[in-house]
């Protein structure tokens, strides 16, 4: 492992997301494209912003944290977002089944949803989101700019790429 003090800091893209949100499902294509384009030159961080209108979103955020703990955050996020209608219909049993289908420890998901071990992370994300003006999902924050994708995602990926390219150039990295 390389010494992190000598490696330039990579730009961070915070993605305020809600796993029962159809707009976040639409955003998956953009997130895949950004991951493909930048790889490890961009840190993509999932931030939780469950909305009250989606009754399973808080449990889904906790389940995503359990997936992260088991090393499969993004595959799990993609699986759940790809099946939001099923989450609407089935709730927590779907979250556990989705984990099982991905080869994760489903019993641990079940236990995590019962004991609430990830609630503090979800609450902290939500509080931070509110503090910086996040009102809907998806919302992106990169390079100090907030981009709201809840109303329209038109042109958002291009805008994120402009900011990331500028940050990489400022850090002396190839764009």
């Amino acid at each position: 492992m390389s010494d992190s003090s000598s490696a330039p800091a990579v730009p961070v893209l915070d993605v305020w997301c809600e796993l029962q949100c159809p707009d976040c499902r639409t955003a998956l294509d953009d997130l895949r494209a950004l991951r493909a384009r930048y790889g490890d030159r961009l840190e993509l961080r999932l931030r939780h912003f469950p909305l009250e209108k989606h009754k399973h979103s808080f449990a889904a955020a906790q389940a995503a944290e359990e997936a992260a703990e088991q090393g499969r955050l993004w595959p799990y996020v993609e699986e759940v977002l790809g099946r939001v209608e099923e989450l609407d219909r089935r709730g927590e049993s779907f979250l556990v089944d989705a984990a099982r289908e991905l080869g994760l420890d489903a019993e641990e998901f079940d236990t995590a949803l019962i004991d609430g071990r990830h609630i503090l992370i979800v609450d902290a994300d939500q509080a931070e989101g509110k503090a910086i003006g996040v009102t809907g999902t998806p919302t992106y924050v990169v390079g100090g700019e907030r981009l709201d994708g809840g109303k329209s995602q038109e042109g958002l990926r291009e805008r994120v790429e402009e900011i990331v390219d500028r940050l990489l150039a400022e850090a002396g990295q190839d764009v």
Side-chain angles (χ1 to χ4, degrees), residues 5-33:
S5 62
S6 64
V10 299
V12 172
L13 172 61
D14 281 326
V15 183
W16 300 87
C17 182
E18 199 243 45
L19 296 188
Q20 203 175 345
C21 169
D23 290 332
C24 289
R25 173 170 56 195
T26 307
L28 274 178
D29 288 339
D30 284 347
L31 296 179
R32 278 188 208 106

Side-chain angles (χ1 to χ4, degrees), residues 82-95:
R83 297 160 68 186
V84 279
E85 296 82 6
E86 206 171 336
L87 176 57
D88 287 346
R89 208 171 53 249
R90 296 184 48 219
E92 290 188 16
S93 67
F94 165 70
L95 295 170

